[in-house]
DNA sequence: CGCTGGGTTGATGGCGATCAATCAATGTGG
DNA sequence: CCACATTGATTGATCGCCATCAACCCAGCG
């Protein structure tokens, strides 16, 4: 499972977002990593902590989630191999969510200090890491739409669509099937449903011959119909915009110009 | 409503996230703005577009949302005055969501080029803008938890809690009440419920003497009980971490050290 | 004055929760 | 090798939250 250099999974994943140049790749390779294997259900990061390091998934799956006062749990994001899981901790005082291993999960931890040193030397790397946090946010908003306005079957289908596309881009699928170690209980916590209903909904998708799912192996039988059924649009998973020149090269100063409020068309400032 | 300089609302809001130095403030003041007033329900940004500018709210409220194939709508974020609404467009090829005015809303548009020029001159500004996108993501994930694992009454109460705290920090509340121009239909699209059920849930919160809500005016009657009822924890709205030194000052190079996978404790690399 | 958009209330029905039982697979200690 | 516990998938019965349909009211407004 880990016969490749761990950081290569990260490099390959970031490369899907935007072009990494040679320098950025070398800076990433030079990062000191602390590697650790987590068992299913184990906590990788705990809410309330204030870590001085971030981590990315080397192999397996991790999920981000929150626990409620009543003991309930909501998972709101899945991280696959290569994903930088909690880059957020760079920016947040107090981590507001838990990261949990789905199945066995291999994770690499990087100190903020070393990560920062690398970013300081490569504006391109900074840009792509920022971008990865923005794409995470876009995925979270799409998740909101699934929970709020889709029925259970379409939401589950949407989740499968997202996983397939993301894994495919990392070369982690065989044909249109992939391994996914989450239990039906995990799925329930992702979609805000009960275990029982996940089971029935899954049975429904099987009955419709949209997919097969057994022994942690998911096979999409009819991608077109599944995507149609889920009302799936992959644009929120897209690559980022290329880094603009101005991000690393300061430009000249522009004088301020302000135009006044208008309805429908713009006017000229009067104050 | 707009008797202050528009950019001051942004400067004040960004200042809540992290410390802006004099240079950053001046760069912001120098930004050329295109100001525009939008009527209730009007689209400020459309999904599918690929704008070369971003915008922030100067006065009023805007919401981010998605439309589904069946015509349904899900709103997944509310933006108040001072919020940088779609900084994301800096990073995304194709905007995957709409921005809609809730009530009359005054917005300032800034070109990516000018924004980039400002960021290129201030690492501190870049840091805080990155941070604001990260905080947006944290809010979206909290929203997921509301839709997935909270009942309608608690979710609605949570929304009110979030709005009160955010508006309070910007000085937009009077005592514990604030103006909110969204209709019950808008609320329904935020929480993934029907208009009718929003109406009943609102009545329930009134009956419990937790809040009053009439004529676009919301008054929290008992903050303690409301927050308890909503299981509200404001840490996801917090200020960001201060900018670390390394973000603007490149450090020396570190040699790579990799430690092998372990369960529970770390070992030394062997490959 | 009628029109329109939003708020409010009632009746009915369905999706999905909850409780409960069964079954298969795996692990564990004797 | 077997008794026993554990974990996860599956199915049935019942209940409740919330959607849907349908009125009706009210305020603002042309």
């Amino acid at each position: 499972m880990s016969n490749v250099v761990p950081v290569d999974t990260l490099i390959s994943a970031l490369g899907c977002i935007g072009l990494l140049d040679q320098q950025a790749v070398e800076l990433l390779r030079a990062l000191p990593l602390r590697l650790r294997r987590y068992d299913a259900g184990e906590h990788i990061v705990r809410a309330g902590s204030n870590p001085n390091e971030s981590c990315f998934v080397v192999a397996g799956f991790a999920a981000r989630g929150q626990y409620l006062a009543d003991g309930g749990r909501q998972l709101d994001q899945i991280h696959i191999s290569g994903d930088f899981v909690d880059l957020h901790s760079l920016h947040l005082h107090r981590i507001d969510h838990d990261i949990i291993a789905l199945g066995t999960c291999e994770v690499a931890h990087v100190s903020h200090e070393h990560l920062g040193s690398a970013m300081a030397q490569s504006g391109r790397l900074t840009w792509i890491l920022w971008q990865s946090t923005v794409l995470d946010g876009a995925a979270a908003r799409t998740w909101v739409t699934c929970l709020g306005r889709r029925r259970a079957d379409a939401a589950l289908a949407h989740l499968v669509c997202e996983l397939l596309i993301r894994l495919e881009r990392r070369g982690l699928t065989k044909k249109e099937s992939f391994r996914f170690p989450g239990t039906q209980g995990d799925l329930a916590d992702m979609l805000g449903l009960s275990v029982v209903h996940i089971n029935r909904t899954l049975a429904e998708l099987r009955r419709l011959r949209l997919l097969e799912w057994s022994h942690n192996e998911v096979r999409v039988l009819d991608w077109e119909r599944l995507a149609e059924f889920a009302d799936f649009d992959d644009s929120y998973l897209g690559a980022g915009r290329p880094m603009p020149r101005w991000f690393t090269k300061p430009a000249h100063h522009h004088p301020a110009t302000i135009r006044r409020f208008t309805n429908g068309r713009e006017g000229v400032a009067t104050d």
Side-chain angles (χ1 to χ4, degrees), chain A residues 42-68:
Chain A
E42 209 175 338
H43 282 247
I44 300 171
V45 178
R46 280 199 180 274
S49 64
N50 183 23
N52 55 6
E53 60 180 19
S54 290
C55 64
F56 61 89
V57 179
V58 176
F61 293 78
R64 179 190 311 276
Q66 283 187 310
Y67 287 85
L68 284 82

Side-chain angles (χ1 to χ4, degrees), chain A residues 64-66 68 73-77 139-159 162 186-194 198 230 236:
Chain A
R64 179 190 311 276
Q66 283 187 310
L68 284 82
R73 184 176 73 153
Q74 174 68 45
L75 302 180
D76 47 41
Q77 200 145 31
R141 287 193 297 274
T142 302
W143 203 298
V144 169
T145 305
C146 277
L147 295 196
R149 285 295 185 215
R150 271 185 245 270
R151 304 216 333 245
D153 47 10
L156 182 52
H158 198 280
L159 180 57
E162 172 174 332
D186 294 328
L187 288 177
D189 286 338
M190 289 172 199
L191 300 181
L193 301 172
S194 68
I198 285 288
Y236 72 101

Side-chain angles (χ1 to χ4, degrees), chain A residues 147-204:
Chain A
L147 295 196
R149 285 295 185 215
R150 271 185 245 270
R151 304 216 333 245
D153 47 10
L156 182 52
H158 198 280
L159 180 57
V160 172
C161 287
E162 172 174 332
L163 279 173
L164 183 71
I165 294 294
R166 286 171 58 194
L167 290 166
E168 212 162 48
R169 292 193 182 162
R170 305 275 170 85
L172 296 170
T173 54
K174 284 193 294 283
K175 305 274 289 180
E176 288 190 321
S177 72
F178 58 90
R179 190 185 74 87
F180 182 72
T183 67
Q184 293 190 357
D186 294 328
L187 288 177
D189 286 338
M190 289 172 199
L191 300 181
L193 301 172
S194 68
V195 192
V196 176
H197 202 66
I198 285 288
N199 187 290
R200 289 188 222 279
T201 306
L202 214 41
E204 171 74 4

